[in-house]
Amino acid sequence: MTDATLHEAYDSALPGEAQFGDYLALLKPRVMSLVVFTALVGLIVAPGSMHPIEAFASVLFIAIGGGASGALNMWWDSDIDAVMKRTQGRPIPSGRVGRDEALAIGLALSGFSVVMLGLAANAAAAAGLAFTIFFYVVVYSMWLKRSTPQNIVIGGAAGAFPPMIGWIAATGTLSIEPVLMFLLIFMWTPPHFWALALFMRSDYDDAGVPMLTVTHGRRKTRAHILAYTLLLCPVALALAFSPVGGPATLATAILCNAWFVKGAVTLWRRDEEIAAADGYKAEKSVFRFSLLYTFAHFGALLVDAALRTGGLI
Ligand code: HEM
Ligand SMILES: CC(C)=CCC/C(C)=C/CC/C(C)=C/COP(=O)(O)OP(=O)(O)O
């Protein structure tokens, strides 16, 4: 790279010069990809048929609502994000997007997505989306995150609502299947997040966020991961035997839960010094696997829905 291009690259990252990518990053697109996928699956596997354009629009507005909640979370948490290494490069702490701008974008997209989902699907789905945005921003980000180590257990419910919103968008109502999908994500969120917190503790320490690793230590966190992972098994099996389940979901539940429990037991038995010495390899692998776990279960629900449509089960 020449001096001139180096200079250009540096200039483009100067505070105050927001680019399209910064506005996109404000919507937390990577995390929201799984949120949107679970909403899509909730909508597709629900009984009845929705017009494809209405279905596409519904998922799009749920995605925009999820992104809006991400922007509002970044607006509120910009002080914490500025302290933690993992989040220092985000659009607000890096100075490329202003707090007021993020707030305006978050509020505008929230209002837009809720109204449009109401028009594309129904009022109940719109109410569900509004409640989910409220839960993530107000209940989790503003209230629980800074006040209790149970923050992600209770607050994590926000991330579990989207398949229910998808289901309501398609049917206008709720039943046991979307509740099981909710429970799967709800019980999954603690091991997903605490595995990551085990190798990022100092970050939350610095920011004064009372994550379980900070308040109760790693040993307790490891035990909590194992407990939630064990509780996940019956939920995954119940989903597999529910009307939306089938052979693909059952096979996924057996394989993924066996793997997840094995990983959680390994983390639980791990000596802290050994874990630190090997760079938290097992913790990182459980965190990565957690992402596959949820994608795989919801993917399997789609496969079973296709098998049912094809008359194969
Ligand atoms: C309050 C609960 C949760 C917390 C505290 C949490 C926290 C995190 C953190 C800190 C990361 C790592 C890096 C990052 O992208 O910033 C992450 C990654 C991720 N999370 Fe979560 N998470 C939670 C719930 C969820 C839920 C409900 C979903 C989806 C259903 C989800 C999906 C993902 C995905 C897909 C990634 C990978 C992102 C990437 O590849 O960069 N998370 N989570
Ligand atoms: C449809 C809709 C409104 C969906 C919302 C889905 C939702 C609540 C996802 C939450 C997942 C998430 C990004 C947690 C991060 O916690 P954090 O914000 O504490 O993580 P950070 O430290 O990376 O900022």
Side-chain angles (χ1 to χ4, degrees):
M1 208 185 247
T2 64
D3 276 355
T5 45
L6 256 180
H7 210 144
E8 258 173 40
Y10 177 70
D11 274 350
S12 69
L14 275 180
E17 291 191 25
Q19 295 177 346
F20 177 73
D22 293 311
Y23 293 110
L24 191 66
L26 208 56
L27 311 182
K28 298 199 169 183
R30 290 173 68 110
V31 175
M32 292 306 164
S33 63
L34 183 52
V35 169
V36 175
F37 182 59
T38 63
L40 171 79
V41 174
L43 183 146
I44 289 180
V45 304
S49 65
M50 200 178 185
H51 191 283
I53 294 179
E54 277 173 13
F56 174 79
S58 298
V59 175
L60 177 70
F61 297 130
I62 294 172
I64 295 174
S69 72
L72 292 172
N73 164 275
M74 285 211 202
W75 158 72
W76 182 259
D77 273 352
S78 59
D79 56 337
I80 297 180
D81 286 351
V83 176
M84 301 203 294
K85 281 185 219 71
R86 177 175 60 84
T87 51
Q88 271 166 355
R90 284 182 174 173
I92 301 178
S94 64
R96 292 193 296 275
V97 174
R99 282 192 83 230
D100 292 351
E101 205 180 352
L103 175 62
I105 291 171
L107 289 177
L109 290 183
S110 295
F112 172 76
S113 60
V114 168
V115 170
M116 293 307 286
L117 184 62
L119 295 174
N122 53 59
L129 180 63
F131 180 72
T132 305
I133 297 172
F134 168 83
F135 206 90
Y136 180 38
V137 178
V138 178
V139 178
Y140 171 71
S141 307
M142 295 185 175
W143 175 30
L144 299 170
K145 184 169 176 179
R146 299 176 196 230
S147 63
T148 164
Q150 292 303 311
N151 45 17
I152 57 128
V153 179
I154 311 164
F161 288 130
M164 300 215 302
I165 304 175
W167 185 284
I168 299 172
T171 65
T173 181
L174 270 178
S175 58
I176 184 71
E177 302 92 324
V179 173
L180 288 171
M181 293 182 220
F182 165 88
L183 282 177
L184 190 81
I185 304 175
F186 182 70
M187 304 307 287
W188 161 91
T189 299
H192 158 70
F193 175 69
W194 285 330
L196 176 116
L198 278 173
F199 56 89
M200 294 211 145
R201 190 181 73 140
S202 62
D203 246 14
Y204 290 109
D205 243 341
D206 296 345
V209 178
M211 289 303 182
L212 197 67
T213 39
V214 178
T215 57
H216 289 68
R218 288 157 189 254
R219 187 101 311 274
K220 273 251 165 65
T221 305
R222 289 173 189 280
H224 276 67
I225 290 176
L226 180 58
Y228 279 92
T229 308
L230 289 171
L231 288 171
L232 252 182
C233 301
V235 178
L237 287 175
L239 189 60
F241 286 110
S242 78
V244 291
T249 313
L250 182 59
T252 306
I254 293 169
L255 288 174
C256 286
N257 284 279
W259 200 309
F260 213 16
V261 169
K262 184 170 170 279
V265 170
T266 305
L267 295 198
W268 176 60
R269 296 175 57 178
R270 234 152 111 79
D271 179 83
E272 219 49 70
E273 279 176 17
I274 294 177
D278 81 0
Y280 296 105
K281 272 203 194 108
E283 289 73 9
K284 288 176 183 167
S285 131
V286 169
F287 172 70
R288 274 196 303 272
F289 182 73
S290 77
L291 298 175
L292 179 67
Y293 180 98
T294 302
F295 270 116
H297 275 86
F298 280 84
L301 287 173
L302 280 186
V303 173
D304 282 330
L307 292 176
R308 248 189 309 279
T309 309
L312 295 171
I313 54 172

